[in-house]
Amino acid sequence: MSDTYTEQLRQTFAVAALNREARLNLSGNEWRQYRDIHDEFTKARTYLIERYEAEYDTRIEAARKRLIDQAAGKDRAFTYPHVGRDRFDKSAIDRQARREVRREHLGDIRQLEHRERETKDAFLDDCTHRQDLKKDVKRDFRNATDRRKLIDRRKPQQWRNRPSRKRDR
């Protein structure tokens, strides 16, 4: 595993921040869509884990066969006989096969988590953009339907700070 604890914590807090933002800012229908996205990725994660556990022995056998075939291949570098490592050490090949299968599974899980985070982030950005548009339309409509006289429609801060127009005599 190449991830450090700080990177794992950063990813965990990023997901928690997305969930908190969604809980606070989304409307009912948007929240339902967000939960559907979350449930879909949870099902995909569960499927990956179940498939990994069910096919673990088969994956180990395939990795072991690949490693043995790789070790049996021609070595282009000249080595003296009986010098170097034993390329057919059964326990070393088994350990390497288990490491590769585990690393592949963790890579699949990380890839799924990355896609989930990107999907949720894009959905929240889209919802925020729609909410901003709604606010702009409401503000424009409120300003357009304002029926007060011209001087009363001005915002107080607009005429409060302007210079006075008194005449000098």
Side-chain angles (χ1 to χ4, degrees), residues 11-80:
Q11 291 175 0
T12 302
F13 282 117
V15 170
L18 282 176
N19 290 337
R20 183 178 187 280
E21 182 182 348
R23 204 171 42 248
L24 293 176
N25 296 333
L26 297 182
S27 67
N29 191 25
E30 291 169 342
W31 174 251
R32 201 171 308 110
Q33 291 173 351
Y34 183 83
R35 291 300 303 170
D36 290 343
I37 291 170
H38 178 76
D39 293 343
E40 178 183 328
F41 279 104
T42 302
K43 287 178 187 175
R45 187 177 301 108
T46 304
Y47 174 73
L48 275 178
I49 293 170
E50 287 174 355
R51 198 181 79 196
Y52 171 73
E53 291 172 353
E55 298 174 354
Y56 183 74
D57 294 332
T58 307
R59 290 181 184 193
I60 295 292
E61 290 173 11
R64 186 182 304 130
K65 182 180 181 324
R66 187 180 44 75
L67 288 171
I68 290 172
D69 289 346
Q70 185 181 23
K74 283 200 171 201
D75 189 14
R76 301 287 183 202
F78 178 72
T79 56
Y80 292 103

Side-chain angles (χ1 to χ4, degrees), residues 131-141:
Q131 289 171 353
D132 290 344
L133 285 176
K134 286 179 186 177
K135 288 178 186 176
D136 289 344
V137 168
K138 286 180 182 179
R139 187 191 68 236
D140 291 345
F141 182 77

Side-chain angles (χ1 to χ4, degrees):
M1 288 180 12
S2 63
D3 284 344
T4 61
Y5 289 119
T6 56
E7 183 62 30
Q8 289 176 356
L9 279 173
R10 188 174 294 124
Q11 291 175 0
T12 302
F13 282 117
V15 170
L18 282 176
N19 290 337
R20 183 178 187 280
E21 182 182 348
R23 204 171 42 248
L24 293 176
N25 296 333
L26 297 182
S27 67
N29 191 25
E30 291 169 342
W31 174 251
R32 201 171 308 110
Q33 291 173 351
Y34 183 83
R35 291 300 303 170
D36 290 343
I37 291 170
H38 178 76
D39 293 343
E40 178 183 328
F41 279 104
T42 302
K43 287 178 187 175
R45 187 177 301 108
T46 304
Y47 174 73
L48 275 178
I49 293 170
E50 287 174 355
R51 198 181 79 196
Y52 171 73
E53 291 172 353
E55 298 174 354
Y56 183 74
D57 294 332
T58 307
R59 290 181 184 193
I60 295 292
E61 290 173 11
R64 186 182 304 130
K65 182 180 181 324
R66 187 180 44 75
L67 288 171
I68 290 172
D69 289 346
Q70 185 181 23
K74 283 200 171 201
D75 189 14
R76 301 287 183 202
F78 178 72
T79 56
Y80 292 103
H82 309 296
V83 175
R85 66 177 181 88
D86 181 12
R87 295 189 305 181
F88 291 101
D89 183 16
K90 181 176 176 18
S91 62
I93 288 176
D94 286 344
R95 283 192 310 271
Q96 182 65 27
R98 291 181 193 285
R99 269 195 304 262
E100 287 183 4
V101 168
R102 192 177 321 116
R103 186 181 315 122
E104 181 182 330
H105 172 66
L106 291 176
D108 291 344
I109 294 291
R110 280 192 202 109
Q111 197 173 38
L112 182 70
E113 288 173 351
H114 181 69
R115 278 198 329 254
E116 178 182 14
R117 201 168 48 250
E118 283 182 344
T119 304
K120 286 181 177 181
D121 194 29
F123 180 75
L124 286 176
D125 286 345
D126 187 40
C127 289
T128 305
H129 179 68
R130 272 188 266 141
Q131 289 171 353
D132 290 344
L133 285 176
K134 286 179 186 177
K135 288 178 186 176
D136 289 344
V137 168
K138 286 180 182 179
R139 187 191 68 236
D140 291 345
F141 182 77
R142 188 177 55 243
N143 289 341
T145 58
D146 193 1
R147 297 292 182 201
R148 294 179 290 172
K149 296 210 183 291
L150 183 62
I151 195 75
D152 292 336
R153 278 194 285 178
R154 292 187 187 151
K155 295 180 181 170
Q157 60 267 22
Q158 287 178 344
W159 53 268
R160 188 180 310 147
N161 296 330
R162 73 178 188 200
S164 68
R165 301 179 73 178
K166 292 184 180 179
R167 291 187 193 174
D168 293 331
R169 290 190 188 197

